Amino acid sequence: MVKRSLQVSLTGIQEAKRAFARKGWTQDNLAAEVNLKTRQPIWRFFSGRPVERHTFIEICSVLSLNWREIATNPPAEFDEGEEFTQPSVQDIDTLVQKVRSQRFEKIQDQCGILQLLDISRPVAIDNIYIDVNILEEIASLQYLEITKLQNIDPKEFDRFGLGEAHQNQIPGTQAVETYSKLRVLGKPGVGKTTFLQHLAIQCNQGAFAANQVPIFITLRNFAQESKLTNEFSLLKYIRQEFHTSKISEPSVIETLLSAGRVLLLLDGMDEVLNQQSNAVLSEIRRFSEKYHKNQLVATCRTAVQKFRLRGFTDVEIAPFTLQQIRAFAQKWFVVFTKTNTQDGLAQSVQFIQKLELDENWEFRQLVVTPLFLHLACWVFHGQEKFPTKRTDFYKQGLDLVLGKWDEARGIERDDVYRGFLLPQKLKLLSQIAAATFEQGQYFFEQRIIEQYIGDYIQNLTDVPMDAEELQIESEAALKAIEAQHGLLAERARGIFSFSYLAFQEYLTARKIVASHNLQAFEQALGGLVTHITDPHWREIFLLTATMLRSADELVLLMKQQIDTLVAQDPYLQEFLTWASQKSRTIPTQTKHATIRAFYLALSRTPHIASHFALASSLDQGMFLDVALDDLLLECAIDGNQNFAHIHACGEAMSNILGIVLDVGLYKSLQQLSDQLPNYRQSEERFGQWGQTNYSAWAEQLKITVINYRNINHEWQFSPEQQQVLQRYYDANQLLLDCLHSNSEVTAAIRQEIEATLLLPIKELEDREWQ
């Protein structure tokens, strides 16, 4: 009978001690590597005393020793694989199919459904899953100068460092096929767990790795159960999993592992608490080295990638492309539209059409992950539009990443930044967002962000902290914010940013709104309006106006700041005065501010006057002025010898006469029309008339239009004045957008602002005296 214990020979003891010394471990370390509860078997091993056979062989394996060479009288008939001698390939294939059949229902139940946030019923993964793409280079590991990042367009901000423009992407399954040991990284909510579940289901159904047995393990569950027994053993955990599928023979899993027929899926390395992480990682390393023939895929948040795994290749999940967003939305609305498939498809088309509107580009930046895309679909599904108050959507998104997402999945995180409650976390993040945005920084060095965090932590206590202690606390808090919430992301080595520009803007606006007293609030609003002409601050104005309980003070300050832009330039004031006077000559129900906006645009950019943003509809007189201005522009072209050109002017004149109501203007235009040669005359006669009469005729037309309609003045603006006017127009448009953004503005203030838009300073002062 084969003996159940082995012991080291005298020469073997010396060899074992040398191997142990090379490791640099203690006996406790070695016991942990072998998954022993105590180090007594280790002491017995090195003392040459009998040790259980499987423990003896395991110790030798960890020390890279051949157990037969150091054992005393190793049994000739005993083979290391006695209990699980490698069978033939045909037998293994048969075993694989048998085990897959026995575990099929368990894998389908474990991985085949998703419980989406705020959805009361589970969803089949096949009905909602979209194939992910993989980046083979980790963006946060690259070295970049921060100066190269400061001029990135805001609309490209959220894509930077995620590989869309600079890296090739490969399908997720291709990455698994390429690398036998793979660690898939990603920010919160990018679909890491769902990707593993998809792999398990595909393998289970024979669509992927059909010659392997899928095993899905949630590492936080493994860690919790192992803590109870103080024995971190993946092999035993898998045996327990198999036991639930009525597979109780220990040799089965050993045979599969030894033959490399297992697809082991380890989910959530970042979800294991710190006090258990070393033991879990050590066991993963040991297991992957011992059973190196098998396919292993693990997931982890990008920020926790410092936990390296020997032999594993790190890749990162790429953000959704527009094509993936469309595919996800189509599946989502088909699943959750309660009527029929066609209605779901129709609503998905509406969703994409509205998402692609210029006004919704902020939403497009957020919905590149399944988590936020699901949230956007859910909101749109209920309202059939995106929320007018984007702040509501951003708040929901922040609630998700600051705790609700983990809470919904039952994940407990290490509380490393001084037990901050949600309001404290929001306050800290708001201060960081506001400080960096004020400096024009979308990207910032790690030391800068740690200083902001350190200042906040120091202000929480009356007891001064040691500089080194504060540095340690600040660094830990930064890493926690990155790892737990994904709100701050390391874009390159030592360079951070907010993971989404929308959150930096929202938190900046929140800092303004949440000013702790009246004086601080007034200072915050005063500081904000100094950025009235900076397009980067546009979203901050809109968010702040929406979030304020009363936006009266903000919009009044904006109006004052806008008027000062042109107050000191007499020529620009004359220009505004002309537009104001002209607006009062139009007998219409249209607001005077709308008419002023129209004529300012007509004078500067006639081709867009009828589409100017501040103008809503054209009165007959305004329509006439557009036609006359177009005619004057046509006549100003040097085409006096061109038959077609002069004929076109005559046609335009005839059309205009049909809408002229003023008798004097009609007679003057008719006389000018009669002076044009008859189109039936030869081109030679046209040419002669053009050479001798055209210039005087065009000048007389211009004088007539100015006298009767007071338009087409030749305003000559310098390049600097043109820039000032453009900033003035844009700022007025921003003010109107704030008024129309569901902000709380009293009716009287709203009416006063709308009535005084684009007025010259003198008329504003006259209104104050009335």
Side-chain angles (χ1 to χ4, degrees):
M1 180 176 178
V2 178
K3 55 184 180 179
R4 307 300 300 178
S5 64
L6 295 170
Q7 61 191 89
V8 186
S9 65
L10 291 177
T11 56
I13 290 174
Q14 299 304 315
E15 187 177 349
K17 286 184 176 180
R18 285 193 295 270
F20 181 62
R22 286 194 295 270
K23 291 287 188 180
W25 290 342
T26 65
Q27 289 190 5
D28 287 326
N29 295 144
L30 182 53
E33 288 292 321
V34 184
N35 285 312
L36 296 173
K37 294 183 178 180
T38 70
R39 63 184 177 89
Q40 185 179 19
I42 305 297
W43 172 80
R44 293 179 62 81
F45 176 85
F46 284 113
S47 302
R49 290 172 170 76
V51 178
E52 286 189 19
R53 189 179 68 203
H54 72 88
T55 300
F56 186 95
I57 294 174
E58 187 68 21
I59 293 173
C60 290
S61 175
V62 171
L63 294 177
S64 302
L65 298 170
N66 187 322
W67 70 270
R68 286 185 174 278
E69 293 178 358
I70 69 169
T72 300
N73 298 320
E77 73 278 12
F78 170 65
D79 182 80
E80 182 179 352
E82 178 194 70
E83 297 179 71
F84 43 90
T85 302
Q86 188 73 16
S88 66
V89 173
Q90 183 176 359
D91 290 340
I92 291 178
D93 287 340
T94 301
L95 179 62
V96 167
Q97 295 309 315
K98 179 181 178 182
V99 173
R100 286 169 63 93
S101 176
Q102 289 177 283
R103 292 206 16 101
F104 184 85
E105 293 298 331
K106 175 65 182 292
I107 293 296
Q108 288 297 125
D109 180 68
Q110 185 182 23
C111 301
I113 61 173
L114 298 176
Q115 199 73 49
L116 299 179
L117 193 73
D118 293 332
I119 302 295
S120 58
R121 59 184 174 90
V123 179
I125 190 170
D126 291 338
N127 291 339
I128 199 73
Y129 180 77
I130 297 298
D131 288 333
V132 298
N133 289 337
I134 293 294
L135 305 172
E136 295 183 277
E137 296 181 16
I138 309 303
S140 59
L141 297 181
Q142 63 185 320
Y143 287 94
L144 287 176
E145 293 289 338
I146 195 168
T147 53
K148 294 183 178 180
L149 309 179
Q150 298 297 5
N151 295 321
I152 288 180
D153 187 283
K155 292 189 178 182
E156 297 300 319
F157 167 86
D158 291 318
R159 293 292 190 173
F160 172 77
L162 296 177
E164 182 183 31
H166 307 291
Q167 289 189 40
N168 291 327
Q169 301 180 12
I170 63 174
T173 51
Q174 181 180 330
V176 177
E177 292 171 340
T178 304
Y179 306 104
S180 62
K181 293 180 177 63
L182 190 70
R183 186 167 66 159
V184 180
L185 305 174
K187 294 192 299 185
V190 299
K192 300 182 295 295
T193 298
T194 308
F195 174 57
L196 282 200
Q197 290 181 235
H198 171 72
L199 288 177
I201 293 300
Q202 290 292 293
C203 181
N204 202 41
Q205 296 175 349
F208 175 78
N211 63 341
Q212 293 179 318
V213 174
I215 300 175
F216 185 95
I217 295 178
T218 302
L219 287 174
R220 70 174 182 275
N221 294 341
F222 166 68
Q224 290 168 357
E225 292 191 23
S226 299
K227 182 182 178 182
L228 297 176
T229 61
N230 197 31
E231 185 175 10
F232 290 80
S233 171
L234 281 170
L235 182 59
K236 290 187 177 180
Y237 191 83
I238 294 171
R239 282 174 177 165
Q240 293 171 8
E241 279 286 300
F242 273 41
H243 189 71
T244 63
S245 301
K246 307 294 193 231
I247 304 173
S248 57
E249 300 87 350
S251 61
V252 171
I253 183 59
E254 293 282 0
T255 301
L256 294 173
L257 288 169
S258 297
R261 293 302 191 92
V262 168
L263 173 61
L264 183 60
L265 306 168
L266 305 172
D267 185 45
M269 288 174 57
D270 57 285
E271 297 171 5
V272 178
L273 295 177
N274 278 341
Q275 61 266 33
Q276 300 160 13
S277 61
N278 288 334
V280 171
L281 289 170
S282 176
E283 171 59 7
I284 294 174
R285 292 190 190 101
R286 189 195 66 79
F287 189 91
S288 66
E289 290 173 5
K290 182 175 181 179
Y291 301 110
H292 59 88
K293 294 181 182 179
N294 298 278
Q295 186 94 20
L296 273 72
V297 185
T299 63
C300 183
R301 288 189 178 179
T302 303
V304 197
Q305 60 184 287
K306 62 182 180 180
F307 301 126
R308 306 299 296 177
L309 285 173
R310 181 178 176 275
F312 278 70
T313 298
D314 282 352
V315 296
E316 192 168 15
I317 292 184
F320 271 177
T321 62
L322 182 57
Q323 183 179 0
Q324 288 171 313
I325 291 172
R326 288 171 177 161
F328 181 95
Q330 185 178 93
K331 283 191 170 186
W332 195 99
F333 285 105
V334 167
V335 169
F336 293 108
T337 299
K338 296 181 180 180
T339 50
N340 55 58
T341 299
Q342 290 304 315
D343 288 343
L345 291 173
Q347 193 167 28
S348 73
V349 170
Q350 293 177 358
F351 174 83
I352 292 299
Q353 287 176 342
K354 293 188 178 180
L355 182 66
E356 292 180 349
L357 295 176
D358 287 343
E359 64 198 55
N360 289 323
W361 75 269
E362 290 93 350
F363 287 111
R364 291 199 301 276
Q365 302 303 303
L366 274 177
V367 299
V368 294
T369 66
L371 176 62
F372 288 127
L373 182 51
H374 160 67
L375 178 61
C377 290
W378 182 241
V379 170
F380 189 91
H381 181 61
Q383 304 177 4
E384 295 189 350
K385 65 177 183 178
F386 291 104
T388 307
K389 281 191 174 184
R390 284 193 291 273
T391 51
D392 294 341
F393 186 81
Y394 296 157
K395 184 179 184 303
Q396 290 181 62
L398 279 174
D399 287 345
L400 277 179
V401 297
L402 285 174
K404 189 177 180 181
W405 179 232
D406 280 346
E407 180 183 325
R409 296 181 298 149
I411 298 174
E412 180 184 357
R413 298 282 179 183
D414 293 294
D415 192 5
V416 297
Y417 51 127
R418 306 178 72 86
F420 284 7
L421 300 175
L422 180 59
Q424 292 172 309
K425 292 177 181 180
L426 282 170
K427 186 175 182 180
L428 169 60
L429 289 165
S430 296
Q431 289 190 7
I432 295 172
T436 53
F437 200 91
E438 180 68 41
Q439 297 296 320
Q441 298 172 341
Y442 296 144
F443 302 90
F444 24 82
E445 295 175 342
Q446 182 171 339
R447 62 179 181 84
I448 299 297
I449 204 73
E450 287 177 357
Q451 288 175 8
Y452 290 132
I453 295 173
D455 291 342
Y456 182 81
I457 292 175
Q458 185 66 76
N459 289 334
L460 291 178
T461 176
D462 296 330
V463 181
M465 295 180 66
D466 177 78
E468 184 174 356
E469 179 188 2
L470 188 60
Q471 167 62 27
I472 293 172
E473 288 276 356
S474 301
E475 184 176 359
L478 173 58
K479 291 301 181 182
I481 294 170
E482 183 187 16
Q484 295 182 16
H485 315 314
L487 282 172
L488 291 173
E490 191 171 14
R491 299 291 191 161
R493 287 190 182 273
I495 299 176
F496 282 77
S497 76
F498 278 85
S499 53
Y500 300 95
L501 178 58
F503 285 155
Q504 185 180 13
E505 292 172 333
Y506 170 78
L507 289 165
T508 299
R510 186 184 182 281
K511 172 68 165 55
I512 295 171
V513 174
S515 299
H516 58 278
N517 58 49
L518 179 59
Q519 182 179 2
F521 175 68
E522 291 176 345
Q523 289 177 347
L525 289 187
L528 174 60
V529 298
T530 63
H531 300 288
I532 191 77
T533 60
D534 187 343
H536 294 139
W537 283 77
R538 171 181 169 78
E539 187 68 9
I540 308 296
F541 279 95
L542 292 170
L543 294 172
T544 302
T546 304
M547 294 166 68
L548 287 169
R549 292 183 179 178
S550 170
D552 284 1
E553 185 173 354
L554 172 61
V555 294
L556 286 173
L557 286 173
M558 290 174 67
K559 181 67 170 63
Q560 293 171 11
Q561 187 74 14
I562 290 169
D563 290 333
T564 62
L565 295 175
V566 292
Q568 303 305 314
D569 190 317
Y571 192 66
L572 295 182
Q573 288 295 304
E574 182 183 349
F575 180 48
L576 295 180
T577 299
W578 163 77
S580 177
Q581 292 172 347
K582 179 63 183 174
S583 70
R584 292 193 292 272
T585 66
I586 302 297
T588 177
Q589 298 300 315
T590 304
K591 295 179 180 178
H592 286 305
T594 300
I595 304 173
R596 289 194 292 272
F598 168 81
Y599 282 104
L600 290 174
L602 181 67
S603 182
R604 290 193 65 231
T605 50
H607 62 286
I608 66 166
S610 59
H611 305 289
F612 190 57
L614 291 174
S616 56
S617 60
L618 291 182
D619 170 85
Q620 184 178 14
M622 296 160 71
F623 186 84
L624 172 62
D625 286 342
V626 170
L628 288 170
D629 203 78
D630 287 343
L631 174 61
L632 291 172
L633 283 174
E634 181 72 21
C635 294
I637 298 174
D638 186 14
N640 57 356
Q641 298 184 39
N642 187 296
F643 172 85
H645 177 76
I646 296 176
H647 179 64
C649 290
E651 287 291 314
M653 180 78 80
S654 298
N655 293 333
I656 289 172
L657 285 170
I659 60 174
V660 174
L661 300 179
D662 184 281
V663 176
L665 176 61
Y666 183 90
K667 288 182 178 180
S668 297
L669 291 178
Q670 184 64 63
Q671 290 174 0
L672 287 168
S673 179
D674 292 341
Q675 294 175 22
L676 291 172
N678 192 301
Y679 72 92
R680 294 188 180 88
Q681 294 176 346
S682 67
E683 290 190 32
E684 181 180 353
R685 291 288 302 274
F686 258 96
Q688 292 175 353
W689 184 89
Q691 287 182 341
T692 57
N693 301 309
Y694 181 81
S695 296
W697 181 89
E699 182 63 24
Q700 185 58 45
L701 174 64
K702 178 180 176 181
I703 293 172
T704 300
V705 170
I706 292 175
N707 288 339
Y708 280 97
R709 299 301 302 173
N710 192 21
I711 63 171
N712 202 254
H713 298 281
E714 295 183 354
W715 297 99
Q716 301 295 326
F717 301 110
S718 69
E720 293 77 12
Q721 287 174 323
Q722 291 179 12
Q723 291 178 4
V724 169
L725 275 176
Q726 190 61 55
R727 290 195 292 267
Y728 179 69
Y729 291 164
D730 292 343
N732 273 289
Q733 185 63 59
L734 174 58
L735 176 56
L736 277 179
D737 290 342
C738 288
L739 289 175
H740 299 155
S741 64
N742 281 347
S743 57
E744 298 296 331
V745 179
T746 58
I749 297 297
R750 188 184 299 272
Q751 291 170 5
E752 176 63 18
I753 288 177
E754 290 180 345
T756 57
L757 285 172
L758 306 172
L759 279 180
I761 294 298
K762 185 178 186 308
E763 292 189 35
L764 290 173
E765 293 173 345
D766 291 343
R767 288 179 64 92
E768 292 177 1
W769 283 100
Q770 293 176 1

